[in-house]
Amino acid sequence: MPQAPALIGKLAESAMGRRARVLDVQHPAPGFVELTLHASAPPGGWRPGHEIQFRVAPTLSRRYTVRTVGEAKGQTGGEPGGSGPEAERIGVLAGTESQGPGATWVSRLRAGTETVILAARHRPLRETGARRLYLGDGSTLGTIDAYARVDEQSLVAIEVPEPAVDALAARWPRYHFLPITKGPGDALFFWLERAAGEGEFARLDGAMLLGHAQSIQRQRAALVDSRILPRRAVTTKPYWSTGKAGL
Ligand SMILES: Cc1cc2nc3c(=O)[nH]c(=O)nc-3n(C[C@H](O)[C@H](O)[C@H](O)COP(=O)(O)OP(=O)(O)OC[C@H]3O[C@@H](n4cnc5c(N)ncnc54)[C@H](O)[C@@H]3O)c2cc1C
């Protein structure tokens, strides 16, 4: 529901709305905003990877993802699903590359801002196999980290604006950060072809492809057509599409 009449938005808010307060705003790299919020939990509690929506205007909402639950700044390994105050402290990592209403709204948040988050019970993305490949762009880094951080064997490659590469690589040394080249997904596709050619995917048994819709299609075709993975082992979720506002 990226665009809906104000009345429908109000109804969704009364059914799924969670009161939230921004506790902290950081800028971990150019083009990224990291939020820590205190938010009342939906049924089942907050989980890393939980999908949420912010109402960024009376008729507009945008989707984001909970990266962490229960972590204070610079700490790892909170207790998702617990019942203490930590269980209502969530972290969200937003990319602002789109420069649309969602990115603008997120960039204006300050510590102390009160807002409402729309959230239902968590429904995790399907994960296949033990050694997984995760591909995405800046808008997916929070989601991918929510899933891949607990999986030491996973291979992660994320395409981000060039000025953000060094800061993100220093924070997440296990992940490959690739600078955006010509079009969205080109750098990632080049990396994919090279890694496949060098046999890096030999023991792979699952993949999660998130982010730019057209890039995901290309990546899945490459993995399936070259028989690296069967189609059913590849989970996809588009986060944005060229020329389309909100997904
Ligand atoms: C389930 C789900 C979870 C998501 N979780 C997160 C999250 O945790 N963090 C996060 O940062 N984003 C996340 N997103 C993506 C975020 O909702 C989109 O990037 C959103 O479209 C941005 O809204 P906007 O109003 O700024 O731009 P829009 O109005 O949607 O788009 C404006 C223009 O920018 C383009 N555009 C949109 N997104 C991007 C982009 N990332 N890079 C380059 N161009 C873009 C569009 O094609 C359009 O031309 C998620 C999306 C989904 C569907």
Side-chain angles (χ1 to χ4, degrees):
M1 195 194 56
Q3 178 132 26
L7 177 62
I8 303 289
K10 275 273 169 217
L11 285 173
E13 196 168 300
S14 59
M16 294 162 62
R18 313 275 143 204
R19 297 178 71 80
R21 184 163 43 87
V22 179
L23 299 175
D24 188 50
V25 180
Q26 298 287 321
H27 296 89
F32 288 85
V33 177
E34 186 168 25
L35 307 170
T36 307
L37 301 117
H38 181 271
S40 66
W46 291 117
R47 305 281 161 173
H50 214 127
E51 186 184 318
I52 60 173
Q53 288 185 49
F54 290 129
R55 273 183 82 196
V56 301
T59 60
L60 274 188
S61 62
R62 290 291 184 261
R63 293 178 203 277
Y64 288 86
T65 307
V66 172
R67 186 181 75 84
T68 57
V69 180
E71 288 182 18
K73 212 173 93 185
Q75 180 202 345
T76 51
E79 290 210 7
S83 57
E86 299 80 21
E88 302 208 318
R89 188 166 56 226
I90 58 174
V92 174
L93 185 64
T96 57
E97 184 72 357
S98 59
Q99 298 180 1
T104 306
W105 185 86
V106 163
S107 303
R108 288 188 183 141
L109 292 174
R110 296 289 176 266
T113 306
E114 305 266 348
T115 188
V116 172
I117 293 177
L118 301 188
R121 186 179 285 273
H122 178 47
R123 293 177 57 207
L125 293 168
R126 187 171 53 86
E127 293 182 280
T128 310
R131 186 164 195 258
R132 285 187 283 271
L133 170 70
Y134 296 82
L135 300 181
D137 55 37
S139 69
T140 73
L141 174 56
T143 312
I144 288 180
D145 186 52
Y147 284 89
R149 63 180 3 201
V150 290
D151 177 4
E152 289 286 321
Q153 295 190 75
S154 56
L155 261 176
V156 177
I158 316 263
E159 187 179 281
V160 296
E162 199 273 334
V165 168
D166 287 351
L168 297 176
R171 175 150 170 200
W172 283 284
R174 196 164 63 80
Y175 303 165
H176 300 274
F177 289 97
L178 316 169
I180 296 173
T181 51
K182 282 177 285 171
D186 285 348
L188 212 44
F189 195 73
F190 182 75
W191 180 89
L192 182 73
E193 284 190 312
R194 189 197 51 75
E198 291 175 1
E200 279 198 50
F201 300 152
R203 290 184 299 112
L204 211 61
D205 44 14
M208 191 182 279
L209 315 178
L210 308 178
H212 181 232
Q214 293 80 3
S215 300
I216 289 174
Q217 287 173 5
R218 204 152 63 121
Q219 292 155 8
R220 180 169 60 185
L223 290 169
V224 173
D225 293 350
S226 54
R227 296 176 187 272
I228 292 168
L229 288 172
R231 199 177 173 86
R232 66 177 178 283
V234 183
T235 296
T236 60
K237 181 128 184 142
Y239 274 20
W240 63 283
S241 179
T242 298
K244 192 169 187 314
L247 269 196

